[in-house]
Amino acid sequence: MAAQSSGKTDDLSTLFATSFKYRQNNKDGDVKTGLLSKALKLDHNRTIVDTTACATFTELIATGGPYVIGTQLRFTPDGGNITAIDTIAATTGNWMFDAAKTLSYVKTEDWSTVPEASRSDRKTLQAAADAYLDMWSDSSAKAKVPWGNPCTRTEGSMHVTPDCRSGAPSGGGTKNSDRRYVIDETVGSCDVLVAFGGRQPDSHEFRLVGGKLVLVHTVTV
């Protein structure tokens, strides 16, 4: 966040592991010339932590950029060094993009800690995310999604509530591939960076409470 706000990666780079890799919108790149080299005033930030996979996912919104950003960081097992930065960054002209509207929607979303009795384990969270993402290519997947009611889906300038099933696909399309997961059981969240339809850079984040899907948030380039 400090690097993105300043547009300088000098301090951040001291944490890079020797095998560090930078990826932006599903393409390998150079962190020195990527999005982190652009100073942005951040209007929103939220981070989940995966203590099993040693990874984090951070959601950023900069209405003055404008950008809506989803970034996964991966760390060495001791958490001391960053092995990878993997960013999906949507801006003007991208699908359903409107940073100001997205900001207004996410301000209404509850991503607080889920009481232990209502938490799902890692396997359940990933299975729910996979079932949702499989709907585009598998006609049976919709029945496997643990739909909650109410459930809210935020996709850029589109806000679907109280039924996330509205507009959901029923197979016949191309598989959403190259899935990279960050899972935080404490907030019931699973974020997946994917090649949507096998090609479009995309982040889908899901929140389950009591085993039911209650929030879906997407960033699509």
Side-chain angles (χ1 to χ4, degrees):
M1 287 171 53
Q4 191 67 82
S5 297
S6 66
K8 299 178 180 179
T9 60
D10 295 3
D11 291 341
L12 183 65
S13 65
T14 64
L15 301 175
F16 294 164
T18 53
S19 58
F20 171 79
K21 293 183 178 180
Y22 179 75
R23 197 178 191 190
Q24 183 171 315
N25 290 341
N26 290 352
K27 294 182 180 179
D28 293 338
D30 185 347
V31 69
K32 294 180 181 179
T33 57
L35 184 63
L36 282 170
S37 66
K38 184 179 181 66
L40 297 175
K41 180 182 180 298
L42 302 178
D43 300 295
H44 163 80
N45 74 84
R46 178 176 56 79
T47 295
I48 63 171
V49 179
D50 189 331
T51 57
T52 299
C54 287
T56 61
F57 170 74
T58 298
E59 175 185 86
L60 301 173
I61 299 176
T63 57
Y67 282 98
V68 177
I69 303 163
T71 297
Q72 292 183 357
L73 301 184
R74 299 197 179 272
F75 300 84
T76 51
D78 63 359
N81 293 99
I82 301 170
T83 60
I85 295 178
D86 194 351
T87 289
I88 302 296
T91 190
T92 303
N94 290 151
W95 188 78
M96 298 294 291
F97 182 83
D98 188 318
K101 283 189 176 181
T102 301
L103 179 63
S104 70
Y105 299 148
V106 301
K107 283 183 175 180
T108 69
E109 297 174 352
D110 178 11
W111 293 88
S112 61
T113 301
V114 177
E116 287 194 36
S118 298
R119 292 180 191 175
S120 300
D121 60 23
R122 295 178 65 82
K123 184 178 180 180
T124 300
L125 291 169
Q126 183 172 332
D130 280 333
Y132 189 100
L133 291 169
D134 286 344
M135 289 192 298
W136 280 262
S137 57
D138 181 355
S139 60
S140 68
K142 187 180 293 187
K144 300 175 185 177
V145 178
W147 302 104
N149 190 5
C151 175
T152 299
R153 188 173 83 239
T154 298
E155 299 179 353
S157 59
M158 185 169 67
H159 198 57
V160 178
T161 191
D163 188 352
C164 287
R165 288 172 292 190
S166 177
S170 299
T174 304
K175 186 175 182 179
N176 296 319
S177 57
D178 193 17
R179 302 180 188 185
R180 294 96 75 192
Y181 305 87
V182 172
I183 300 171
D184 187 337
E185 300 95 319
T186 67
V187 292
S189 174
C190 179
D191 174 72
V192 194
L193 301 189
V194 303
F196 193 82
R199 57 187 178 85
Q200 290 176 282
D202 177 276
S203 168
H204 263 71
E205 187 178 13
F206 307 91
R207 173 171 160 95
L208 269 64
V209 178
K212 297 296 184 180
L213 182 65
V214 295
L215 286 172
V216 182
H217 193 196
T218 77
V219 181
T220 305
V221 178

